[in-house]
Amino acid sequence: MNTPADNRRVVSGMRPTGRLHLGHYHGVLKNWIRLQHEYDCFFFVADWHALTTHYEDPSAVPEHVWELVIDWLAAGINPNAATVFIQSRVMEHAELHLLLSMITPLGWLERVPTYKDQQEKLKERDLSTYGFLGYPLLQSADILIYKAGWVPVGEDQVPHIELTREIARRFNHLYGREPDFEAKADAAIAKMGKKAGKLYRELRRRYQEQGDDEALATARALLEEQQNLSLGDRERLFGYLEGMGRIILPEPQPLLTEAAKVPGLDGQKMSKSYGNTIALREDPESISRKIRTMPTDPARVRRSDPGNPEKCPVWAFHQLYSDDKTREWVWEGCTTAGIGCLDCKQPVIEAVLAELAPIQERARELEANPAVVRTIVQEGCERAREVARETMDEVRGAMSLVYR
Ligand code: TRP
Ligand code: SF4
């Protein structure tokens, strides 16, 4: 099933693992900042996910949580546009995780590639825990509880979204069925009125008999427009379009944008584990020093040796930060030994500092006003909780966990 075009809900999370750097900014945050104006975005700090690997000493988690929120806000996440919150403050995530665990075959979790990969990679930690195995299922709960249509993530997370889709499908299959589904669908169609009801049936037939995707999209749009339908009826009719039962938890899709590959100071990808980062809140002196001392084309030993920008990490920075004219100047100057490496680095230093100046300014303000940050998060948690509660009411209902 494809995400209906009208599902504008976006959910994404980050684990609180320390201050963000330019890699996060260009690779993830700039994308979030763009999305917040086009979608209904829910961005949260995945503090429980941090515990799956750092359970032995969680003492740094709170500090990292606030650092992360400040970095987001300083970079341009706007709490009036996006809902910003902390996972563990919306307990419903845990309840959904638990309920989904009932229907999740162990094999599905063991097969997720990150499971074995991370265990291999983080050999020094004991990750043979229940919580770690459940990592992608908790992520599924994070997403499904908001009925998100889209999840901006990197390539490495795509299998987690795939699992989320399978879980949603299984859930809908098991609990979306009602004994009198057909009769309830008929009654719901009647509520749409004669004309719209007839059109709906016609579009459904065209989709089911001829696989006409356009008819499916039109029918979904038609359902969205209906004022007379309750939430339950609408879901029923979404499900009826495709012939199954009710769709309680819609299947999300990954939202992959070709994220700018941010070079690290040594030419590898920028990453904390390589120690080649520039933090968003790093002081300008330190940034200048790091760039001034970063390696260049190793063949360019003396100032008089010509160099090859293709073999130089500084060139990668020029790709990201410089205009055509500057890049021409670099290429010409480097290959003819017309400029020195320090000359070459100067525009990069200036561009990075100029990019970070407003971010650092906002970060300072937020650091000085922790109450502002707390309030933003508190309001975000409340907004998130409202949506999560509604979903859980439906989920409990579908799973017969209602006691009257
Ligand atoms: N697993 C994600 C990561 O490591 C973080 C995450 C947790 C997440 N829950 C999520 C991302 C829900 C998107 C949606 O990057
Ligand atoms: Fe690298 Fe610039 Fe030096 Fe050439 S001149 S080696 S591109 S830093």
Side-chain angles (χ1 to χ4, degrees):
M1 192 192 86
N2 295 313
T3 301
D6 49 32
N7 186 332
R8 309 298 292 168
R9 181 68 53 76
V10 159
V11 170
S12 201
M14 273 189 217
R15 279 169 303 144
T17 52
R19 293 197 171 190
L20 298 185
H21 51 63
L22 284 175
H24 298 113
Y25 180 64
H26 290 277
V28 186
L29 271 182
K30 271 173 46 183
N31 190 31
W32 283 19
I33 291 162
R34 206 173 32 241
L35 289 171
Q36 68 183 345
H37 303 296
E38 296 164 29
Y39 290 84
D40 178 20
C41 290
F42 284 66
F43 298 134
F44 68 95
V45 183
D47 56 343
W48 279 333
H49 277 108
L51 288 183
T52 62
T53 49
H54 290 66
Y55 57 87
E56 282 181 79
D57 181 13
S59 58
V61 170
E63 194 188 323
H64 288 161
V65 167
W66 296 117
E67 279 181 348
L68 189 56
V69 174
I70 289 178
D71 278 340
W72 287 358
L73 299 173
I77 297 293
N78 178 348
N80 296 316
T83 301
V84 173
F85 64 101
I86 299 171
Q87 183 187 38
S88 67
R89 293 260 188 100
V90 185
M91 235 83 80
E92 283 79 1
H93 290 227
E95 186 184 356
L96 185 56
H97 177 214
L98 175 86
L99 293 179
L100 294 179
S101 79
M102 307 298 172
I103 67 165
T104 305
L106 271 181
W108 289 16
L109 295 175
E110 288 160 348
R111 258 194 278 119
V112 173
T114 44
Y115 180 57
K116 293 226 163 69
D117 289 356
Q118 291 291 102
Q119 279 188 334
E120 284 290 306
K121 225 164 145 193
L122 304 173
K123 269 228 161 72
E124 71 284 4
R125 296 179 197 281
D126 179 3
L127 295 181
S128 54
T129 57
Y130 180 55
F132 186 70
L133 178 67
Y135 183 114
L137 188 64
L138 178 57
Q139 183 165 353
S140 299
D142 297 336
I143 297 165
L144 295 174
I145 205 157
Y146 300 104
K147 302 191 175 185
W150 306 98
V151 188
V153 284
E155 277 300 340
D156 62 314
Q157 294 284 308
V158 171
H160 293 181
I161 310 304
E162 209 33 65
L163 174 79
T164 305
R165 293 165 63 81
E166 281 170 24
I167 300 283
R169 222 172 291 147
R170 184 163 165 92
F171 185 94
N172 295 328
H173 174 74
L174 289 169
Y175 307 115
R177 291 179 187 219
E178 302 164 293
D180 45 357
F181 180 65
E182 192 95 35
K184 283 191 173 152
D186 276 335
I189 294 171
K191 286 184 200 148
M192 292 170 70
K194 255 217 176 83
K195 212 169 126 210
K198 194 167 156 225
L199 180 58
Y200 172 85
R201 282 190 197 281
E202 169 61 21
L203 291 165
R204 174 175 184 265
R205 195 187 53 74
R206 266 182 22 215
Y207 174 65
Q208 292 201 346
E209 288 176 10
Q210 298 150 35
D212 182 344
D213 285 329
E214 215 168 290
L216 178 63
T218 314
R220 280 175 176 157
L222 178 70
L223 288 178
E224 283 301 328
E225 284 166 15
Q226 298 306 305
Q227 310 286 339
N228 288 340
L229 291 180
S230 67
L231 197 64
D233 275 342
R234 203 188 300 269
E235 279 162 2
R236 216 165 260 127
L237 293 185
F238 272 122
Y240 191 54
L241 274 176
E242 284 159 89
M244 313 177 282
R246 219 146 60 90
I247 293 170
I248 300 158
L249 300 176
E251 292 175 38
Q253 289 188 81
L255 194 58
L256 290 168
T257 34
E258 8 73 70
K261 278 267 179 313
V262 184
L265 291 162
D266 56 358
Q268 301 184 79
K269 177 180 172 224
M270 188 177 280
S271 160
K272 206 169 76 174
S273 49
Y274 299 146
N276 62 1
T277 62
I278 293 173
L280 296 186
R281 278 188 266 167
E282 191 153 335
D283 107 71
E285 254 322 298
S286 160
I287 295 174
S288 307
R289 193 174 51 244
K290 276 186 180 174
I291 298 177
R292 275 200 311 268
T293 56
M294 72 187 271
T296 58
D297 175 3
R300 201 171 179 205
V301 183
R302 277 175 301 259
R303 166 70 174 75
S304 55
D305 298 332
N308 179 357
E310 304 277 14
K311 299 199 171 130
C312 177
V314 180
W315 178 241
F317 273 79
H318 278 294
Q319 300 299 323
L320 193 59
Y321 284 102
S322 299
D323 56 19
D324 289 346
K325 211 169 132 235
T326 311
R327 282 205 293 262
E328 269 165 41
W329 170 78
V330 170
W331 191 273
E332 169 69 21
C334 178
T335 52
T336 61
I339 59 171
C341 290
L342 278 179
D343 305 322
C344 179
K345 288 169 169 179
Q346 197 51 39
V348 170
I349 294 175
E350 280 162 25
V352 172
L353 293 183
E355 175 172 64
L356 291 181
I359 295 178
Q360 299 196 344
E361 173 66 35
R362 278 195 295 269
R364 270 192 297 275
E365 272 171 40
L366 294 161
E367 285 163 9
N369 294 287
V372 171
V373 180
R374 301 300 185 273
T375 305
I376 288 171
V377 168
Q378 194 181 331
E379 286 173 2
C381 290
E382 274 161 30
R383 270 215 299 273
R385 233 177 264 133
E386 268 174 47
V387 180
R389 248 187 233 135
E390 271 186 41
T391 305
M392 285 317 296
D393 279 345
E394 291 176 62
V395 165
R396 278 185 227 109
M399 294 182 79
S400 311
L401 294 165
V402 185
Y403 303 97
R404 286 186 264 265

